[in-house]
Amino acid sequence: RSKPLANRAKREIKKEFIFSWIPSYYFSSREYDSQVASRYDHISHKAQLELKLKQGFGFNWRLPLYYRYTEYAGKPYSASYGSKLSFSRSINQFKHQASLHLRQRNYSDTINQGRDNRLFDLGYQLVYSNKPMRIITRMNQQTLTGTRNINDRYQATHAGLKFLYRLSNKLAANMQPRLFAGYTLKSKRYQGLELGKQRNDMRQDYRIGLSLTNKQWRIKTQYSYQQRESNILNFDFQRKKFELGIQYEF
């Protein structure tokens, strides 16, 4: 005997809408010399509440609401808050995701208060998964407004490619090793004039690294090379970095 149609519909709706929320807190610290205070010494606190809705209208929804506070050289530097609405859908081995990120950033000291800004970021990401490999491509269109100086306002286009490969062997303490490599291209068009002309930057970022993860721990090391080319030579630079990080989730 079949169930009434109305009862089946109610059960399907209950299964479809699965809501959850996850609070989290992040802390990071970077010191260049423990004996001498540096203006580059950095401390960051971030509190976040992430709202999730699974299989709502055929998509998985995420809405993180966050607040971040940072210090440089032991002094308050900036505070920012915002949200990033995203929705995704998986089809076979592909995952499509679109996002909208809104952020307000305010600076603490009077020297930088003119840099207070609002960020609007519209993004799309495509993930291809085929164990043990994963490939991530993404595109973002950004607009930064609200600064006192028009030269700091810009429109930007970001394109990125990331490759991850999970190694089959597990190390001590059940740590799973994963290799990764990435490339990012960023183009910025500033609204104001620098030295009599509009500034346009092109920045490239190459990185390669290794991460070790288990249920709660994550150890990550990476080497990166960054290069920025501008139509105004004063803004050109090259940078090489080696980073090591440890993360623990409660």
Side-chain angles (χ1 to χ4, degrees):
R1 181 181 176 183
S2 62
K3 299 288 185 180
L5 181 60
N7 290 341
R8 292 205 306 268
K10 288 180 181 178
R11 284 199 299 272
E12 288 175 0
I13 292 175
K14 289 181 180 179
K15 289 182 180 179
E16 185 177 7
F17 293 94
I18 302 175
F19 176 79
S20 62
W21 56 278
I22 304 173
S24 59
Y25 168 76
Y26 302 88
F27 171 79
S28 65
S29 175
R30 182 175 65 233
E31 294 185 5
Y32 284 81
D33 191 323
S34 59
Q35 303 300 322
V36 181
S38 169
R39 66 188 181 97
Y40 295 110
D41 290 349
H42 172 266
I43 291 178
S44 177
H45 305 266
K46 180 182 178 182
Q48 178 174 286
L49 176 63
E50 182 175 4
L51 310 177
K52 287 187 174 183
L53 179 62
K54 187 176 182 181
Q55 292 301 318
F57 305 103
F59 295 93
N60 292 328
W61 300 79
R62 296 176 58 195
L63 180 61
L65 307 171
Y66 65 88
Y67 175 83
R68 175 179 288 165
Y69 169 78
T70 61
E71 294 181 357
Y72 276 92
K75 297 180 180 180
Y77 182 69
S78 69
S80 59
Y81 57 91
S83 63
K84 185 177 181 179
L85 174 65
S86 66
F87 57 96
S88 63
R89 185 172 185 177
S90 298
I91 303 175
N92 298 326
Q93 295 171 308
F94 294 91
K95 180 181 179 181
H96 303 265
Q97 178 175 299
S99 63
L100 173 62
H101 184 192
L102 303 175
R103 187 205 68 204
Q104 173 71 42
R105 174 173 291 169
N106 300 318
Y107 290 86
S108 301
D109 57 272
T110 55
I111 297 176
N112 288 313
Q113 281 179 354
R115 297 173 58 197
D116 292 355
N117 61 74
R118 295 180 295 275
L119 178 71
F120 174 88
D121 185 321
L122 184 63
Y124 170 75
Q125 179 173 276
L126 176 63
V127 180
Y128 171 75
S129 299
N130 188 5
K131 293 182 179 180
M133 179 179 64
R134 195 178 184 197
I135 301 175
I136 304 172
T137 59
R138 61 183 177 86
M139 292 284 296
N140 291 79
Q141 184 66 41
Q142 292 184 343
T143 301
L144 187 135
T145 60
T147 61
R148 186 181 304 166
N149 189 343
I150 193 174
N151 290 358
D152 293 329
R153 304 174 192 175
Y154 64 78
Q155 290 184 331
T157 301
H158 296 186
L161 175 65
K162 189 173 183 180
F163 173 82
L164 303 100
Y165 188 85
R166 178 171 294 189
L167 302 177
S168 58
N169 296 328
K170 291 187 177 180
L171 304 178
N174 203 30
M175 300 293 282
Q176 176 69 57
R178 176 182 290 177
L179 295 171
F180 63 89
Y183 171 76
T184 304
L185 178 66
K186 301 179 181 180
S187 173
K188 281 187 179 181
R189 301 174 300 280
Y190 290 83
Q191 293 185 16
L193 299 178
E194 293 279 357
L195 302 178
K197 56 183 177 181
Q198 189 175 30
R199 174 184 167 190
N200 295 305
D201 290 354
M202 184 72 72
R203 175 170 167 170
Q204 299 183 79
D205 190 327
Y206 304 84
R207 61 187 61 209
I208 187 171
L210 171 70
S211 65
L212 304 173
T213 59
N214 67 6
K215 292 183 178 180
Q216 293 177 294
W217 288 94
R218 185 184 185 196
I219 302 173
K220 179 181 177 182
T221 179
Q222 72 173 7
Y223 169 82
S224 64
Y225 171 76
Q226 300 169 350
Q227 180 183 31
R228 183 171 70 193
E229 296 180 351
S230 175
N231 62 332
I232 301 175
L233 295 179
N234 294 351
F235 297 102
D236 287 358
F237 78 83
Q238 293 182 353
R239 179 187 297 149
K240 300 176 182 178
K241 291 196 301 183
F242 176 79
E243 299 174 79
L244 175 64
I246 299 176
Q247 178 178 324
Y248 178 79
E249 295 185 358
F250 296 93

